[in-house]
């Protein structure tokens, strides 16, 4: 890695970063909202991105004042996700970067808020790519992850499982959600915010952010 401090390992989020699932989340949400004559506002989506299912759903139900319990909404959403997530595509530059890091013996880990069940569904057509992570995959329902992002738990757990000798400052986290960048900060790790401008309320780039570096696509990241 060219930037200081020297990076010894990379930890990746998944949804919206490696897999183009954010468009599918919106599709599923809008399908559930149809009977209520509501649409999914970007402001609410941005608050939900990078959060665990319970927290994200609670935000949605409150913002849109839906007459549904968490359980009622989640039941509908889960069935739709099982259908649509199987079609999720890789984000541009994702496979190239993962294969580059693997070829250069840079340790990599996955830290996703998705449950293990949803992880398997989302990645089943991309198994040869996600096999690059080996056993270093930590999901949001892992018993060692006590608190969801923006707490640092999932990144610290992923780091310890990758190599117990690693320190937070040795790690570079790739995230597409502000909430995930905050989790990386709380873990005292370096971070790359891959800011997908499709999910932004402003066409102009932000003047301030808390990531170590901001890019708009993994294609823009130079690992040399």
């Amino acid at each position: 890695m060219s930037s200081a401090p020297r990076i010894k390992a990379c930890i990746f989020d998944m949804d919206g970063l490696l897999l183009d699932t954010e468009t599918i989340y919106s599709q599923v949400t809008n399908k559930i909202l149809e009977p209520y004559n509501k649409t999914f506002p970007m402001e609410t989506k941005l608050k939900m991105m990078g959060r665990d299912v319970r927290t994200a759903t609670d935000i949605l139900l409150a913002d849109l004042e839906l007459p549904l319990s968490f359980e009622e909404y989640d039941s509908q959403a889960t069935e739709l996700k099982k259908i649509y997530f199987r079609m999720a595509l890789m984000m541009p530059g994702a496979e190239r970067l993962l294969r580059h890091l693997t070829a250069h013996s840079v340790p990599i880990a996955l830290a996703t808020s998705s449950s293990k069940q949803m992880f398997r569904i989302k990645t089943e057509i991309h198994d040869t790519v996600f096999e690059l992570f080996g056993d270093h995959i930590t999901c949001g329902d892992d018993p060692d992850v006590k608190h969801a992002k923006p707490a640092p738990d999932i990144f610290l757990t992923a780091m310890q499982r990758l190599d117990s000798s690693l320190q937070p400052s040795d790690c570079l986290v790739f995230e597409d959600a502000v909430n995930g960048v905050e989790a990386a900060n709380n873990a005292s790790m370096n971070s790359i915010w891959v800011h997908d401008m499709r999910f932004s309320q402003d066409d102009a780039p932000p003047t301030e952010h808390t990531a170590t570096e901001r890019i708009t696509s993994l294609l823009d990241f130079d690992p040399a």
Side-chain angles (χ1 to χ4, degrees), residues 33-191:
L33 294 178
E34 280 180 7
Y36 304 98
N37 295 315
K38 295 177 182 286
T39 56
F40 190 21
M42 182 60 69
E43 181 181 2
T44 299
K45 181 175 182 63
L46 293 175
K47 288 194 285 185
M48 295 169 62
M49 285 175 64
R51 297 188 182 275
D52 63 287
V53 172
R54 182 69 196 230
T55 303
T57 303
D58 286 345
I59 290 170
L60 177 71
L61 297 178
D63 275 16
L64 275 66
E65 300 181 339
L66 293 174
L68 295 170
S69 66
F70 166 78
E71 290 75 18
E72 290 169 334
Y73 181 91
D74 188 57
S75 177
Q76 293 184 57
T78 297
E79 292 309 307
L80 289 170
K81 289 173 183 176
K82 287 178 181 178
I83 298 170
Y84 291 113
F85 276 145
R86 298 181 193 278
M87 299 178 281
L89 300 177
M90 296 294 298
M91 290 291 284
E95 181 174 355
R96 184 191 70 171
L97 176 57
L98 294 177
R99 292 196 181 280
H100 176 92
L101 295 173
T102 301
H104 288 79
S105 301
V106 177
I108 58 173
L110 187 74
T112 173
S113 295
S114 293
S115 66
K116 185 166 289 187
Q117 178 194 30
M118 281 299 166
F119 164 78
R120 288 171 178 157
I121 289 172
K122 293 171 183 177
T123 62
E124 66 178 13
I125 66 171
H126 306 292
D127 55 345
T128 58
V129 178
F130 284 87
E131 283 173 358
L132 297 172
F133 289 105
D135 295 329
H136 302 127
I137 296 170
T138 304
C139 293
D141 58 353
D142 190 294
D144 287 340
V145 180
K146 305 300 184 186
H147 304 286
K149 299 172 187 178
D153 299 34
I154 196 165
F155 290 136
L156 293 174
T157 299
M159 178 189 73
Q160 287 296 318
R161 291 176 177 175
L162 189 58
D163 185 341
S164 60
S165 70
L166 287 170
Q167 297 298 313
S169 59
D170 297 329
C171 299
L172 179 62
V173 171
F174 289 81
E175 264 283 359
D176 70 301
V178 172
N179 191 57
V181 171
E182 185 179 348
N185 292 339
N186 290 334
S188 299
M189 295 180 179
N190 306 284
S191 62

